[in-house]
Amino acid sequence: SPKPPSFSIRNAEFFHSKGVTAAARGDLQGAIQNYDKALSMGAEHGRFKAHLSRGLLLDRSGLHDQVCERDWAAPVVRLGLKG
């Protein structure tokens, strides 16, 4: 049977989910803080989603100067679109 997700993956998913909820409420700062927490968990899967969500949120909000290269690079490499 498959192993359950690691603690870091579960935590990354939790904070990513909180970020999505905060973004839906219009709480940009709360969303970014939760995406950053998800990124700090170190789980590859969580980093992919958090980088993508963070980059898209900042881009849609017009905060282009706050989008980090890694916000776009991590998802692009993971999807096999570059690299």
Side-chain angles (χ1 to χ4, degrees):
S1 73
K3 293 172 65 174
S6 71
F7 183 72
S8 63
I9 290 174
R10 288 193 311 270
N11 277 340
E13 292 287 335
F14 172 76
F15 285 112
H16 180 263
S17 179
K18 283 184 69 167
V20 170
T21 300
R25 287 192 320 260
D27 179 8
L28 176 65
Q29 282 305 111
I32 296 301
Q33 288 172 349
N34 281 294
Y35 293 147
D36 287 345
K37 285 181 185 175
L39 290 169
S40 74
M41 296 295 124
E44 180 67 29
H45 180 68
R47 283 198 313 263
F48 166 76
K49 288 172 42 175
H51 274 302
L52 184 59
S53 296
R54 184 180 189 281
L56 290 172
L57 178 64
L58 289 169
D59 188 59
R60 283 194 312 256
S61 300
L63 301 172
H64 309 290
D65 60 323
Q66 294 184 33
V67 179
C68 300
E69 174 65 28
R70 69 179 184 273
D71 289 329
W72 298 126
V76 166
V77 170
R78 172 81 184 249
L79 292 172
L81 301 174
K82 181 180 177 184

